[in-house]
Amino acid sequence: MSSFKAGRRRRSSSLMYTEPTESLEHISDQAALPNLNAEWVNAKGILYLFVIHWLRNKWKVLIIFKLGAWGIHFVLIVCLKIFYDIMPGMTQEVSWTLTNISYMFGSYLMFHYVRGVPFDFNSGAYDNLNMWEQIDNGDQYTPTKKFLFFVPICLFLVSTHYTHYDLTYFTINLLATMAVVIAKLPMAHRLRIGLFSGQPDD
């Protein structure tokens, strides 16, 4: 146990450190219960359900849909775009750039900055892992992680197209996208930047 604690210590002058692998106790705690924080991300797309019912002597068709975690990204992007479009004096170039920056900031904050689980049902088994590392038990190149990897890239390409390839907007969109995409690469797995995150917990 003391070697595990010593492995977590880092020098205060280090800006980057790698989160060490979990102890056997943490691994058994993680296997004991499902991780509800990361399991919802695997809900794909939009499921349409047609309900036919009888109302006032007529057959009516209701379309009920359940929005999955994959579909919510597109809804968020569309809502951000509409929000920035209704602001007075907003050009399309600025609107697309702000949509890109807002989505990238939210994505980085949710998947790569915040560590742990928002509710206490697994005794802190995931306290030192961010959500990206919790998805699919940290496996790389799963369908969910591929989808979450390509959404920022596609948004970057769309925003670059609608900003008419202007160099200033391109640079801003590229930097925002690179911050999110680099954090999703396997080389950044368990890598922490000390400037943005605190000391690791024991």
Side-chain angles (χ1 to χ4, degrees), residues 43-56:
K44 299 176 184 174
I46 299 174
L47 171 69
Y48 289 99
L49 176 65
F50 295 96
V51 178
I52 301 173
H53 68 93
W54 183 259
L55 180 67
R56 295 185 188 161

Side-chain angles (χ1 to χ4, degrees), residues 56-77:
R56 295 185 188 161
N57 298 328
K58 290 184 181 178
W59 285 102
K60 298 282 184 178
V61 177
L62 290 177
I63 301 174
I64 301 172
F65 63 93
K66 177 185 173 190
L67 191 60
W70 287 26
I72 197 69
H73 291 274
F74 300 114
V75 171
L76 285 173
I77 291 169

Side-chain angles (χ1 to χ4, degrees), residues 119-182:
F119 23 80
D120 188 26
F121 67 90
N122 58 6
S123 303
Y126 297 98
D127 282 351
N128 289 321
L129 298 177
N130 59 33
M131 190 167 183
W132 184 258
E133 295 161 350
Q134 294 176 33
I135 296 172
D136 298 326
N137 295 323
D139 294 337
Q140 297 293 325
Y141 305 117
T142 60
T144 301
K145 286 193 173 183
K146 287 178 185 177
F147 172 79
L148 293 172
F149 186 81
F150 286 113
V151 168
I153 294 172
C154 292
L155 180 59
F156 165 73
L157 293 174
V158 169
S159 61
T160 301
H161 174 73
Y162 283 109
T163 55
H164 308 294
Y165 305 99
D166 182 82
L167 184 60
T168 305
Y169 294 122
F170 176 81
T171 305
I172 293 169
N173 287 325
L174 180 68
L175 291 175
T177 304
M178 292 304 290
V180 173
V181 169
I182 288 174

Side-chain angles (χ1 to χ4, degrees), residues 14 33 39 62 69 82 109 117 163 166 202:
S14 299
L33 293 170
E39 292 299 320
L62 290 177
I82 291 170
L109 185 70
V117 179
T163 55
D166 182 82
D202 287 335

Side-chain angles (χ1 to χ4, degrees), residues 73-91:
H73 291 274
F74 300 114
V75 171
L76 285 173
I77 291 169
V78 168
C79 288
L80 284 170
K81 181 67 173 114
I82 291 170
F83 173 74
Y84 289 123
D85 278 343
I86 62 173
M87 289 185 174
M90 185 73 63
T91 64

